[in-house]
Amino acid sequence: MELETKIKGYILENYLFTDDESQLASGDSLLERGIIDSTGILEVIMFLEDEFGVTVDDDEMVPENLDSVANLVAFVQRKKAAA
């Protein structure tokens, strides 16, 4: 749960400029809702790499891994389990 809290907090603070967790559900598409764009995805990737010590390979930069808080949490968990 701490992983989800950190990721959701980062997105809320840096893209929605709020700390109101009700503004973002874990399953919300970040791209479809216009919360982040391609540059934002790169910033999120840098955050994941810095904060959680994972490496995001080029072929992993897909919506299935990065388009929602839930997808980001699952992705980081898979990366940490594989390490």
Side-chain angles (χ1 to χ4, degrees):
M1 199 55 130
E2 180 180 333
L3 181 63
E4 181 175 352
T5 303
K6 283 185 178 183
I7 292 172
K8 189 172 189 176
Y10 173 81
I11 292 169
L12 285 170
E13 290 175 21
N14 292 283
Y15 299 99
L16 295 174
F17 309 107
T18 184
D19 59 2
D20 181 0
E21 292 194 16
S22 71
Q23 296 298 312
L24 179 64
S26 292
D28 286 354
S29 169
L30 302 174
L31 294 168
E32 287 178 16
R33 285 199 49 206
I35 296 169
I36 59 176
D37 57 14
S38 57
T39 302
I41 290 284
L42 295 175
E43 292 170 351
V44 169
I45 289 169
M46 287 190 297
F47 166 75
L48 296 177
E49 292 180 338
D50 291 344
E51 185 71 25
F52 303 109
V54 297
T55 301
V56 181
D57 298 322
D58 289 346
D59 63 335
E60 296 172 323
M61 293 181 197
V62 294
E64 292 79 15
N65 292 333
L66 307 171
D67 191 33
S68 70
V69 172
N71 290 4
L72 289 163
V73 169
F75 176 69
V76 171
Q77 288 173 333
R78 284 193 308 272
K79 293 293 282 188
K80 290 180 97 41

